[in-house]
């Protein structure tokens, strides 16, 4: 079952709100990712977790805070976002980092910041 | 700077035809290659991956890799209107490298 789930599907938040995005996979994958995608652009990598440890932070502003509670779950905590942060936020997982294995994306959360 | 280039399109083909999507990459050390299909407003869906030179077929899809020419392509046989989407080429340099480098995508339209 190649499925990654994400909640919520849509989120509207003000610039002073705190919210969280959630991602779950049950494929036994050991690497999980957060991407941001703006309209008509390819996904941009934000964070990579490998074996529940943060491996990569692609110089993402601190208003985005990732968390990996266990090997199946990945959260993205949002605080004091800006309107330009409005985008589709995608979670992905892969069997591991080594060997450049395939990544499977979840359905995404459409975020609007007012 | 690792780059992945695709024609942005749109590529328009009639129903039943073969659609040919092309991608070139700059990093000669790249080891794994992926094609994602993305419908408007949806997330990318992995449809093919290829690691070795040559062809790989899965149903109506064939991925072709030529590492010497740094070129990867996707052929869609018997194209259907439901194939209309943006196709993203993604390249990974392998080893412990985690990062997929995406092309900007090619918009394919299949006309009934």
């Amino acid at each position: 079952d190649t499925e990654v789930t994400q909640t919520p599907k849509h989120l509207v938040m003000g610039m002073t709100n705190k919210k969280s995005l959630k991602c779950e996979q049950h494929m036994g994958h050991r690497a999980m990712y957060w991407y941001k995608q703006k309209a008509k652009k390819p996904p941009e990598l934000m964070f990579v977790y490998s074996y529940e440890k943060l491996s990569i932070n692609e110089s993402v502003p601190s208003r985005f805070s990732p968390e990996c509670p266990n090997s199946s779950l990945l959260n993205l905590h949002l605080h004091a976002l800006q309107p330009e942060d409005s985008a589709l936020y995608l979670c992905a997982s892969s069997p591991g980092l080594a060997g450049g294995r395939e990544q499977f994306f979840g359905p995404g959360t459409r975020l609007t910041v007012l | 700077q690792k780059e992945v280039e695709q024609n942005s399109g749109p590529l328009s083909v009639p129903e039943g035809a073969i659609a040919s999507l092309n991608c070139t990459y700059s990093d000669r050390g790249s080891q794994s290659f992926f094609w994602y299909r993305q419908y408007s407003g949806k997330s990318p869906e992995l449809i093919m991956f290829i690691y070795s030179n040559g062809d790989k077929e899965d149903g109506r899809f064939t991925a072709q890799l030529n590492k010497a020419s740094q070129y990867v392509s996707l052929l869609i046989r018997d194209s259907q209107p439901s194939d209309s989407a943006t196709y993203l080429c993604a390249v990974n340099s392998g080893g412990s490298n985690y990062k997929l480098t995406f092309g900007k995508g090619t918009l394919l339209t299949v006309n009934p």
Side-chain angles (χ1 to χ4, degrees):
Chain A
D1 183 15
T2 55
E3 187 177 68
V4 178
T5 59
Q6 290 187 244
T7 55
K9 287 188 169 59
H10 300 276
L11 179 62
V12 179
M13 60 186 291
M15 289 189 285
T16 59
N17 292 157
K18 286 185 181 181
K19 297 286 184 184
S20 296
L21 309 184
K22 297 186 183 303
C23 174
E24 188 168 10
Q25 59 88 12
H26 292 291
M27 294 179 279
H29 287 176
R30 303 319 300 257
M32 297 184 77
Y33 310 76
W34 280 115
Y35 287 85
K36 171 183 176 181
Q37 187 177 25
K38 304 281 269 185
K40 299 192 186 302
K41 300 287 187 185
E44 297 174 40
L45 183 66
M46 301 176 70
F47 302 103
V48 181
Y49 273 82
S50 176
Y51 289 86
E52 300 155 52
K53 289 185 173 23
L54 182 64
S55 292
I56 299 297
N57 175 339
E58 290 282 293
S59 303
V60 177
S62 60
R63 57 185 185 268
F64 295 92
S65 175
E67 178 197 18
C68 189
N70 61 53
S71 60
S72 300
L73 293 174
L74 187 64
N75 298 323
L76 186 63
H77 303 296
L78 313 173
H79 174 54
L81 295 193
Q82 304 297 309
E84 58 265 28
D85 296 321
S86 298
L88 181 66
Y89 287 83
L90 296 162
C91 175
S93 71
S94 69
L97 291 186
R101 296 292 303 277
E102 57 274 22
Q103 295 182 24
F104 298 92
F105 286 87
T109 293
R110 176 76 58 188
L111 174 67
T112 303
V113 182
L114 301 176
Chain B
Q1 178 78 2
K2 297 172 186 174
E3 293 183 348
V4 176
E5 299 285 342
Q6 295 181 254
N7 288 329
S8 61
L11 173 65
S12 184
V13 300
E15 185 174 355
I18 296 175
S20 178
L21 302 157
N22 304 315
C23 173
T24 58
Y25 58 94
S26 63
D27 182 3
R28 188 169 286 279
S30 297
Q31 297 186 16
S32 50
F33 307 86
F34 307 91
W35 284 100
Y36 288 87
R37 176 175 65 197
Q38 188 169 25
Y39 294 112
S40 181
K42 302 295 186 182
S43 67
E45 175 191 3
L46 179 67
I47 53 171
M48 290 290 288
F49 59 90
I50 186 167
Y51 298 146
S52 304
N53 271 335
D55 293 0
K56 179 181 178 183
E57 187 174 319
D58 183 1
R60 296 186 295 114
F61 299 99
T62 300
Q64 299 175 316
L65 175 61
N66 184 327
K67 288 187 177 181
S69 300
Q70 295 175 240
Y71 176 93
V72 58
S73 65
L74 178 70
L75 300 178
I76 307 175
R77 289 182 299 283
D78 188 23
S79 296
Q80 301 297 309
S82 59
D83 294 325
S84 299
T86 295
Y87 288 80
L88 295 164
C89 174
V91 175
N92 192 309
S93 295
S96 59
N97 189 314
Y98 58 90
K99 192 168 180 177
L100 285 182
T101 302
F102 285 89
K104 293 184 179 179
T106 297
L107 177 61
L108 172 67
T109 301
V110 180
N111 301 303

